[in-house]
Amino acid sequence: MKKSGLLKFILAVAMLSGIPGIAFSEETVKIGAIFAVTGPASFLGDPQKKTIEMLVEEVNAAGGIDGKKLEAVIYDSEGDPTKAVQAMGKLVSKDKAVAVIGPSITQDTLAIVPAAEKAGIPLVSCAAGVAITDPIKKWVFKTAQTDALAATTIFDYMKKNGINSIGVLSVADAFGESGKKQIEVLAPKAGIKIVAAESFGAKDTDMTAQLTRIKSANPQAIVCWGTNPGPAIVAKNVKDLGITIPLFQSHGVASPKFLELAGANADGIILPAGKILVADSLADSDAHKKVVQSYLKAFAAKYQSPTSSFGGYAYDAFKMITLAMKGTGFDQAKIRDNLEKIQGYTGVSGTFNLSPADHNGLGSDAFVMVKIVNGKWELISK
Amino acid sequence: MMQELLQYLFTGITSGAIYAIIAVGYSMLYNSTELINFAQGEFVMIGGMSLMTFWGVLKIPLPFSILLAVAVTALCGLIFERLAIRTAKKDNHVVLIIITVGASIFLRGAAMILWGKEPHSVAQFTSFPPINIGGAVIVFQSLWIIIGALIIAVALDFFYRRSLTGKAMTACAINMRAARLTGIPAGFMVLLAFVISSSTGAVAGSMIGPITMCSYDMGTVLGLKGFCAAMLGGLGSLWGSLAGGIILGILESLGAGYISSGVKDATAFLALLMILYFRPGGLFGKKDIKRF
């Protein structure tokens, strides 16, 4: 009696922890996914995992792809490149996935690129770093807007509003470093001067020293580049120090969590964000409006919690892979070739036009500038 | 120029007060058991998270929330001592210290399951605007932290010097066997020491939440910095720990302000290395590490 209870327990744990091949027949096609479901980047990985699970159910309910049911094999990288590499190894050799979605963050993605290239398996990353698709790698694609595009969107807005000098405050991790590099390259091109560049540690609790340095250089605006919780503390410190110049943040804080963390201190912050944040304010003529709204609605109905732009990256990755799968007989090389040919796919993040020279495929329609007003995202004209 | 220096000092005092209040917890336990509890940072985290739960979520008035947060953390300290420290039969300090490292990992995991992985924000205790002195600002919450740290230090100082229990505790630290022979309940003293030090950790955690935000993994860095502050000031000296915390905070912020934000942590640890090299007992501690 006791033994069978234990056995059931082990089985339950095995199924929960995503060990594949227990409850499934061989008739499925496996799509692999690696997300930072837990750990500091869980606000990225959690909606991504839920999105993929939801979409697989949808596809299978509609009869699958070319008559085959799909199965998602999702591993948790915990935001740790080592664990991402281990997961990739399992997906390639044990699970025999035909394509891989993820990881959620740049450092994890860069860690598994060599494995994807070596195994010849299409990888569609959900991370933002430019280095993922620049230079082009044969098997690697990405759905998140690049930080270069985010920086360009910010600078376009600044030029229109007469801001010519900035102070930069970036977090000392892959996301912040990559953003800082893009800013240093793109700001001079836009005719914007960087008068101060500071950094802070991902776990720092007070950035007033850095902000004081920036303030004394007299920029017309501050650009903060990081992911939670740092930018929320920066927002608070800016208000504490009585700094009145506009504070720009990156798309890394475009999630409800940032509003919750920063509270009233977020007021007046301007940032580039995917259209998903301001879905209801979009013009009806906007092709994305319908896609975004239906995704939001389906997610909310299934999980009773809101999704974010980050979930949208996984949505687009999954949709494009399933588009590319049709009629290939699930051959990895053919799926890759089809991915590269995708034109005019209207996704959550924007319109994707992929080519051999562009493995991201997003254009300037992928970002809108939003301002935080009374704890709400407000669309501001470009 | 002057205004910037002032701002760096204030910034340093803000983070320094946080380190100081944590350092006091380390020193206090070291004073009574000669142990270094590497789970101290986790007690700080439990204090902060509990306050967030009682005050932010359940809307219990602030003073009661702080008391409840301290009670919860003290209970964790009590259980920790009974289950992990007491059961280790070996009276070997190294073994016990390693146990505290294990406990810190365990508590972090438990907190992640209980409170989730997201950071949580905690409101300021009082809605006073930041204080502006000569163009530099200091947030009011920092003053609360400094007041809290002072109250704890004064209370503990009084406890050790004036009360019989406090003296008994010190006696246990000096020589456990001799203390037992004189009729001091040594086991109870160690338990009490853990309860008091986890309570100070809880006070620290509940006070710093509004400045740092609370997350399940906040204790790691804070615990390490607090430990550095205690070493810098002199482990086992209450006032030394307080001063050590403030000095560490100011060194960090001057490093970030005048050299570069990249060397912030390096400045502090470099200073610590220098101090340990020249004065192993810390700035205000005894000349050497042996206290008796």
Side-chain angles (χ1 to χ4, degrees):
Chain A
M1 191 64 229
K2 205 170 174 182
K3 231 185 194 142
S4 77
L6 184 70
L7 200 68
K8 274 185 191 148
F9 175 74
I10 290 172
L11 265 176
V13 169
M15 280 165 76
L16 280 175
S17 57
I19 294 176
I22 282 183
F24 300 99
S25 62
E26 279 306 295
E27 275 311 287
T28 55
V29 172
K30 289 185 176 129
I31 293 188
I34 305 168
F35 297 129
V37 183
T38 59
S42 59
F43 63 98
L44 302 163
D46 184 60
Q48 288 166 344
K49 173 172 183 272
K50 287 175 172 161
T51 299
I52 297 297
E53 285 168 348
M54 177 178 97
L55 290 172
V56 167
E57 266 175 44
E58 269 176 31
V59 168
N60 288 344
I65 304 275
D66 296 344
K68 285 245 192 179
K69 291 264 161 76
L70 296 183
E71 181 194 331
V73 184
I74 303 176
Y75 290 106
D76 181 3
S77 76
E78 299 171 34
D80 174 351
T82 318
K83 293 204 170 74
V85 171
Q86 288 167 348
M88 188 67 185
K90 278 190 225 156
L91 287 171
V92 172
S93 57
K94 197 170 72 136
D95 303 320
K96 306 270 186 278
V98 294
V100 176
I101 298 172
S104 312
I105 59 172
T106 305
Q107 17 205 35
D108 289 7
T109 305
L110 293 176
I112 67 164
V113 161
E117 292 282 295
K118 192 164 153 252
I121 188 166
L123 174 73
V124 185
S125 171
C126 298
V130 170
I132 297 166
T133 49
D134 181 21
I136 293 276
K137 299 158 191 76
K138 188 181 172 191
W139 295 89
V140 184
F141 301 82
K142 71 191 270 274
T143 52
Q145 300 96 331
T146 54
D147 25 23
L149 191 58
T152 310
T153 313
I154 291 179
F155 294 149
D156 285 350
Y157 176 86
M158 284 182 173
K159 288 315 283 178
K160 286 201 177 84
N161 291 281
I163 295 170
N164 300 314
S165 66
I166 53 169
V168 182
L169 182 57
S170 57
V171 63
D173 66 13
F175 181 80
E177 290 300 320
S178 171
K180 189 170 143 191
K181 238 191 355 235
Q182 297 308 319
I183 290 172
E184 281 166 354
V185 171
L186 295 164
K189 282 187 187 160
I192 290 170
K193 230 171 103 188
I194 301 170
V195 291
E198 296 292 330
S199 68
F200 59 89
K203 285 249 174 280
D204 282 5
T205 54
D206 186 288
M207 290 68 162
T208 42
Q210 291 93 324
L211 285 164
T212 305
R213 262 181 90 133
I214 290 176
K215 189 179 161 187
S216 60
N218 271 328
Q220 288 171 288
I222 297 173
V223 181
C224 169
W225 211 272
T227 49
N228 291 330
I233 297 177
V234 170
K236 180 173 162 297
N237 293 160
V238 164
K239 288 274 193 287
D240 287 343
L241 289 169
I243 294 174
T244 49
I245 51 173
L247 172 62
F248 287 78
Q249 295 265 12
S250 72
H251 52 307
V253 298
S255 69
K257 188 75 204 174
F258 176 72
L259 293 181
E260 182 200 318
L261 288 177
N265 296 316
D267 233 33
I269 289 175
I270 303 170
L271 65 147
K275 290 177 175 169
I276 192 163
L277 273 189
V278 285
D280 297 338
S281 331
L282 295 173
D284 286 331
S285 58
D286 195 320
H288 299 287
K289 189 166 180 171
K290 234 172 78 192
V291 179
V292 173
Q293 281 183 325
S294 75
Y295 167 54
L296 284 171
K297 211 181 283 157
F299 193 98
K302 187 163 164 61
Y303 298 110
Q304 282 79 47
S305 66
T307 179
S308 62
S309 327
F310 312 117
Y313 301 154
Y315 179 97
D316 290 338
F318 182 87
K319 286 282 182 190
M320 289 206 276
I321 286 177
T322 47
L323 272 178
M325 274 180 178
K326 289 201 172 98
T328 56
F330 305 105
D331 174 75
Q332 290 167 358
K334 284 186 188 152
I335 294 174
R336 189 214 81 86
D337 296 344
N338 282 351
L339 270 175
E340 208 168 52
K341 289 186 200 128
I342 286 179
Q343 287 289 319
Y345 158 70
T346 307
V348 170
S349 299
T351 306
F352 289 83
N353 294 306
L354 291 125
S355 69
D358 185 357
H359 277 198
N360 175 226
L362 282 170
S364 60
D365 72 338
F367 274 127
V368 286
M369 287 303 275
V370 298
K371 189 176 193 166
I372 300 171
V373 182
N374 301 326
K376 292 262 188 309
W377 312 100
E378 226 167 71
L379 188 61
I380 47 180
S381 56
K382 282 225 165 167
Chain B
M1 209 50 228
M2 194 59 221
Q3 183 188 338
E4 279 163 43
L5 175 67
L6 260 181
Q7 185 58 58
Y8 297 144
L9 286 178
F10 285 170
T11 300
I13 290 169
T14 300
S15 43
I18 295 171
Y19 304 152
I21 200 169
I22 298 169
V24 168
Y26 276 103
S27 272
M28 187 261 129
L29 192 75
Y30 184 80
N31 242 345
S32 1
T33 59
E34 286 218 300
L35 278 182
I36 293 162
N37 175 16
F38 280 109
Q40 188 66 21
E42 270 56 48
F43 287 130
V44 173
M45 177 269 295
I46 292 170
M49 285 293 211
S50 308
L51 182 84
M52 188 274 298
T53 310
F54 293 128
W55 190 40
V57 181
L58 303 176
K59 306 282 179 234
I60 298 168
L62 182 62
F64 295 107
S65 288
I66 294 181
L67 284 176
L68 278 170
V70 170
V72 166
T73 318
L75 185 70
C76 290
L78 187 130
I79 296 168
F80 169 55
E81 197 277 341
R82 282 287 124 150
L83 290 184
I85 301 290
R86 177 62 48 94
T87 46
K89 279 281 179 285
K90 278 214 167 58
D91 199 17
N92 181 338
H93 280 184
V94 176
V95 172
L96 292 178
I97 286 170
I98 298 294
I99 287 176
T100 68
V101 175
S104 87
I105 296 169
F106 170 79
L107 288 171
R108 228 181 356 254
M112 186 178 94
I113 292 163
L114 188 58
W115 282 294
K117 296 158 300 242
E118 303 265 338
H120 301 273
S121 61
V122 182
Q124 299 248 352
F125 285 4
T126 44
S127 51
F128 296 119
I131 303 157
N132 190 319
I133 303 168
V137 290
I138 186 160
V139 281
F140 211 91
Q141 188 69 28
S142 306
L143 300 187
W144 286 120
I145 295 174
I146 293 165
I147 292 167
L150 282 174
I151 290 174
I152 288 179
V154 170
L156 285 176
D157 193 54
F158 186 84
F159 174 75
Y160 279 124
R161 280 169 198 265
R162 301 274 166 203
S163 79
L164 194 60
T165 320
K167 286 178 180 161
M169 243 186 211
T170 319
C172 284
I174 294 168
N175 190 327
M176 186 73 88
R177 183 171 293 179
R180 270 211 191 97
L181 288 172
T182 57
I184 295 171
F188 176 73
M189 287 300 153
V190 174
L191 179 70
L192 191 63
F194 268 92
V195 169
I196 294 178
S197 86
S198 56
S199 305
T200 58
V203 174
S206 55
M207 296 208 135
I208 65 185
I211 289 186
T212 61
M213 302 189 191
C214 294
S215 60
Y216 77 95
D217 56 355
M218 70 191 276
T220 325
V221 176
L222 288 174
L224 201 63
K225 291 267 173 78
F227 174 66
C228 276
M231 294 295 285
L232 190 67
L235 200 59
S237 149
L238 293 175
W239 302 107
S241 304
L242 273 185
I246 303 278
I247 291 169
L248 191 72
I250 289 176
L251 282 176
E252 273 189 358
S253 107
L254 289 180
Y258 285 117
I259 304 166
S260 112
S261 28
V263 303
K264 194 185 112 181
D265 291 346
T267 337
F269 289 114
L270 189 71
L272 180 74
L273 285 176
M274 301 298 289
I275 298 264
L276 287 180
Y277 187 74
F278 292 110
R279 283 191 62 112
L283 281 176
F284 308 95
K286 305 284 179 296
K287 263 276 185 287
D288 62 66
I289 209 73
K290 267 269 172 278
R291 287 176 309 118
F292 315 108

